[in-house]
Amino acid sequence: MSKPNIEVTIEPDGTIVTKVIGGRGWTCRDATKALREALGTTVEDKPLPEFFQQVTTSATIKHGSK
Amino acid sequence: MSHVAKIEIEIKDLVALVAACRRIGCTLVQGQRTYAWYGHHVGDYPLPEGFKAEDMGHCEHAIRVPGADYEIGVVARRDGKPGYTLLWDFWGGQLARQLGPNGQKLVQAYGIEAAKSVARKQGYAVTETTKPNGAVVLQLRG
């Protein structure tokens, strides 16, 4: 499986924001783990709505297969 | 896009710090054990956590900044974690004029170089752009 693309923004004050592009679920957090650990301390870590999409879809399929 | 993380930078990679200095026109002198400063702590500001007055002026490496008489000390962290603390005497304002408040120009440059280094080691192709507000965006393509 290919790695998701990542956007890293380094603000003028030195704060870094990472965004995973096109990844879903926990793979997103995994994708930036090494980057986050190498750069410093993660002070905010939040999923966006798409983060939950795969979980919702899986639940629907499971329900429909019964 | 499904996940966003905000990170506060810690100086951990000396090679990236060398590249960061070069990027903004400074020079990191490896092995320079003292850095230029006022010379004694007058007690008007608290010292960084874990440091004593006699520690000031001593370092593992030093950064020379064009246009500034004082230098920046690169000192091993004192809290047991790996990496470095940057120490400098901000009296006179020369360093702040060159590097911005809290040395943020140097910190940003370090963040850029450290992120590029980690990304390349992980096999990403990296492209860099700069926004009008000075923020630098790295696109990492796997």
Side-chain angles (χ1 to χ4, degrees):
Chain A
M1 191 172 69
S2 65
K3 292 177 285 201
N5 295 337
I6 301 171
E7 182 181 279
V8 183
T9 303
I10 304 97
E11 299 289 348
D13 69 356
T15 303
I16 296 181
V17 177
T18 63
K19 294 178 185 176
V20 179
I21 312 293
R24 287 184 179 171
W26 292 103
T27 55
C28 295
R29 192 165 281 155
D30 294 341
T32 58
K33 184 172 184 286
L35 196 61
R36 288 183 285 116
E37 288 179 351
L39 293 176
T41 300
T42 301
V43 294
E44 190 177 314
D45 191 2
K46 63 181 181 184
L48 295 173
E50 298 93 317
F51 183 87
F52 298 106
Q53 188 174 342
Q54 188 175 30
V55 176
T56 305
T57 304
S58 298
T60 304
I61 292 168
K62 187 177 178 184
H63 179 74
S65 65
K66 281 183 180 176
Chain B
M1 178 170 64
S2 61
H3 188 255
V4 175
K6 187 175 176 182
I7 303 161
E8 282 184 359
I9 290 176
E10 296 171 357
I11 308 292
K12 299 179 179 180
D13 180 349
L14 194 62
V15 175
L17 187 58
V18 170
C21 289
R22 192 178 304 123
R23 182 185 183 96
I24 60 172
C26 298
T27 305
L28 190 148
V29 184
Q30 297 197 43
Q32 180 177 321
R33 298 293 180 181
T34 60
Y35 62 93
W37 70 303
Y38 181 65
H40 68 271
H41 182 61
V42 296
D44 51 348
Y45 288 94
L47 295 169
E49 188 177 349
F51 289 89
K52 300 172 185 172
E54 56 266 34
D55 296 327
M56 298 299 100
H58 300 282
C59 55
E60 273 68 58
H61 316 286
I63 296 172
R64 295 177 184 166
V65 180
D69 295 328
Y70 289 170
E71 297 170 323
I72 298 172
V74 183
V75 187
R77 288 176 63 149
R78 300 290 171 88
D79 58 3
K81 294 180 181 176
Y84 299 93
T85 297
L86 302 180
L87 296 178
W88 67 88
D89 185 342
F90 53 83
W91 188 87
Q94 284 183 335
L95 286 174
R97 275 194 290 278
Q98 300 300 324
L99 301 178
N102 299 315
Q104 62 184 31
K105 194 173 169 185
L106 175 60
V107 175
Q108 185 194 30
Y110 173 81
I112 296 163
E113 295 299 334
K116 286 164 72 171
S117 174
V118 175
R120 285 176 177 144
K121 284 175 186 167
Q122 290 188 304
Y124 283 99
V126 181
T127 56
E128 176 183 330
T129 54
T130 303
K131 289 183 172 180
N133 72 349
V136 172
V137 179
L138 304 178
Q139 300 287 347
L140 315 186
R141 292 185 167 77

